Amino acid sequence: MSDVVDESVAHKTPVQDFAADWDHTDPQWVNDPYPIWDDLRERCPVAHTERYGGGWFPTTHEMVTSIANDTEHFTSRMVVVTHNKFPPNFIPAPVGGAPPITSDPPFHSIARRVILPAFAPGPVNALEPQIRALCNKHLDEMVGREFVDGGTDYAQFIPPGVIATMLGFPSEDEEIFRDIVHLVLDLIDLPTEVRGPLFEPMGEYFAKQIDDHIEYPRDDLTSYLLNVEVGGNKLERQHVAGTMVLILVAGIDTTWSAIGSAIWHLAQHPDDLARLVNEPELMPVAVEEFLRFYAPVTMARLVAEDHEFFGSPMKKDDWVLLGFPAANRDPKVFADADKFIIDRAANRHAAFGLGIHRCVGSNLARLELRVAIEEFIKRFPRFELADRDAVTWAPGQVRGPRHLPLRILP
Amino acid sequence: MKVRIDPEICQGQGRCFSIAPQIFDFDELGNGVVLGDGLLTSETIELARLAQANCPEHAVFIEDSP
Ligand code: HEM
Ligand code: SF4
């Protein structure tokens, strides 16, 4: 699959001016988006593009907040920017293909309430020992080597393992999960004719898991979704499948990216690394700063009706890229916004979104990020980047290091 | 002084009860709730302010109590 992508990206025109022609898959953006966003925030502050059928990119915290809270003018029908706003098997809002993230009010709150209890602090905190064991299993395999990859040897394994257990999917299917995530989030630049058919195996995989759970119900999230009743009715099978896809996709790439970015930071800031090693109680505060500074997730909306937004003439069905990571770097809201301050006390970051779609998995994500870093630095209290140029970043709306070669220091 | 969470605004971001479990708790959906009557003492007021400064939704209110 990656060959197909490389091909399609290679044929693109490089962006000259992100204000008038932004593209979040442009190599410059993928490798280091922050200077681009800072420049746009000062200059525009809403950037425009004709790519992907037309869209906008607002860069201030104020704008991002206002869009996230305005479900009347901005619909969540599609939240990942692609070349096709209406795929063939498209389910329109308010339900959408992956409820609740593709749902608008009033259906959204129904679909959200169904899954919230499973991700509330109680059940999530109970997973801590299991997450710690999973981290150590992979660390055991890395020990004794001078060179390790923080991405492919470590970060990429933690979230799939956790999600597989929650959904009750075979953990040996991890590779399949990562392929699904890659398809939904990374392969966005493919022409529709190529991208569409790639979804078929994914549909079959979920159908198989659902059938298996119908036949052999278990104590997991999949059986729960199949049996839960809303207003006296079970959820439609399509709704269950959509929510499972969402949990899988939203739960894997995001947290993997957050763990990777934190390791990337520590590899280059020995002072921060030493502080975390020596003051483990700093971890919860540090986690919030990792989330602010390296927020991995940018979501999208479609404009619901023609209207003017901060002076920009938005048209129905234009894309809007909702840059939570850019909002987190807005100097109007964060003192020294462009500085990573490991013990930043007041940190109202928007890494998990704002408003009704606030990340359902935020308690779980924080736990995974904290435990993954705690265990990593316990095992490797000193490390650095082995080769800065060999670090690669996931393109698109979820950003984090994929290859992260590290040298472990004595 | 008294602290209150506006349930219409709170989205369960969970910052308040992580920072100040003495003052806040969560319900079964993971939304923040104030423990007891929410009255703040000279010992808890700063913690409540810190939680307020970390709530991304601006759902925490600290008000004069009669
Ligand atoms: C560091 C890791 C993560 C980050 C930064 C993150 C970020 C986000 C953001 C920004 C949204 C809002 C989307 C929008 O406004 O359209 C969101 C929604 C969501 N996330 Fe996460 N996420 C993370 C991890 C997880 C995990 C581990 C899960 C679950 C296993 C998860 C499940 C969800 C779900 C179900 C939604 C949809 C909520 C709704 O529409 O009501 N996320 N996430
Ligand atoms: S921090 Fe704010 S949004 Fe989060 S639970 Fe507390 S009051 Fe609610």
Side-chain angles (χ1 to χ4, degrees), chain A residues 69 112-113 116-117 120-122 288 345-350 352-358 362-363 366, chain B residues 9 11-15 17-19 26-31 50-58 60:
Chain A
N69 285 303
R112 183 176 166 90
R113 283 183 88 96
L116 272 177
E288 300 306 323
N347 195 348
R348 224 174 226 146
H349 70 76
F352 291 116
L354 293 166
I356 61 166
H357 290 279
R358 185 273 305 170
S362 61
N363 299 304
R366 285 190 165 104
Chain B
I9 304 175
Q11 298 291 347
Q13 296 252 10
R15 303 286 276 121
F17 51 80
S18 311
I19 290 172
F26 48 85
D27 65 15
E28 76 288 353
L29 296 180
N31 287 331
L50 188 63
Q52 182 179 43
N54 279 282
C55 172
E57 308 286 353
H58 297 261
V60 178

Side-chain angles (χ1 to χ4, degrees), chain A residues 68 76 79 98-103 108 111-112 115 119 159 163 166 221 243 246-259 291 294-301 322 324 350-362 364-366 368-369:
Chain A
S76 284
V79 289
I101 208 166
T102 53
S103 315
H108 168 264
R112 183 176 166 90
I115 52 172
F119 292 95
I163 292 294
M166 287 188 85
L221 203 47
T243 296
L246 167 61
I247 290 172
L248 192 88
V249 172
I252 291 183
D253 202 18
T254 52
T255 317
W256 161 14
S257 298
I259 297 170
L291 286 166
Y294 299 106
V297 181
T298 296
M299 275 295 137
R301 298 287 186 268
L322 199 48
F324 298 115
F352 291 116
L354 293 166
I356 61 166
H357 290 279
R358 185 273 305 170
C359 178
V360 165
S362 61
L364 177 62
R366 285 190 165 104
E368 288 185 44
L369 177 56

Side-chain angles (χ1 to χ4, degrees), chain A residues 12-230:
Chain A
K12 277 175 72 148
T13 335
V15 172
Q16 301 296 337
D17 178 11
F18 283 92
D21 183 33
W22 62 259
D23 187 339
H24 56 313
T25 62
D26 187 85
Q28 211 186 322
W29 179 308
V30 172
N31 290 326
D32 191 12
Y34 305 108
I36 300 173
W37 299 345
D38 289 345
D39 171 56
L40 293 175
R41 199 183 297 112
E42 289 206 347
R43 219 150 45 97
C44 304
V46 186
H48 185 253
T49 194
E50 291 296 333
R51 300 182 190 220
Y52 305 101
W56 305 89
F57 176 59
T59 50
T60 69
H61 189 279
E62 183 190 5
M63 292 174 178
V64 169
T65 308
S66 132
I67 295 169
N69 285 303
D70 183 357
T71 53
E72 237 169 77
H73 290 99
F74 300 95
T75 162
S76 284
R77 201 168 68 199
M78 297 283 286
V79 289
V80 179
V81 173
T82 63
H83 290 288
N84 191 2
K85 289 169 187 165
F86 308 100
N89 49 2
F90 179 70
I91 308 164
V95 180
I101 208 166
T102 53
S103 315
D104 286 335
F107 182 80
H108 168 264
S109 68
I110 299 171
R112 183 176 166 90
R113 283 183 88 96
V114 165
I115 52 172
L116 272 177
F119 292 95
V124 163
N125 291 341
L127 296 169
E128 180 165 340
Q130 183 200 326
I131 297 172
R132 224 173 266 287
L134 181 66
C135 293
N136 278 300
K137 182 183 140 201
H138 292 287
L139 288 167
D140 284 345
E141 286 168 18
M142 294 156 71
V143 143
R145 285 160 50 192
E146 184 187 354
F147 294 99
V148 301
D149 192 308
T152 53
D153 288 332
Y154 188 63
Q156 71 162 347
F157 291 116
I158 313 305
V162 177
I163 292 294
T165 321
M166 287 188 85
L167 286 171
F169 289 6
S171 57
E172 62 270 20
D173 291 352
E174 254 179 45
E175 200 57 48
I176 303 182
F177 306 164
R178 278 192 294 270
D179 277 350
I180 292 175
V181 170
H182 187 57
L183 169 62
V184 176
L185 293 174
D186 297 349
L187 298 190
I188 54 171
D189 212 15
L190 295 179
T192 311
E193 326 77 79
V194 182
R195 192 170 183 263
L198 295 179
F199 276 86
E200 278 163 29
M202 172 178 115
E204 283 162 23
Y205 181 78
F206 280 94
K208 196 174 102 191
Q209 298 305 326
I210 291 180
D211 289 339
D212 192 53
H213 277 78
I214 290 174
E215 202 168 336
Y216 309 102
R218 280 154 257 178
D219 181 16
D220 58 29
L221 203 47
T222 301
S223 285
Y224 164 79
L225 286 171
L226 286 166
N227 291 306
V228 70
E229 288 188 6
V230 176

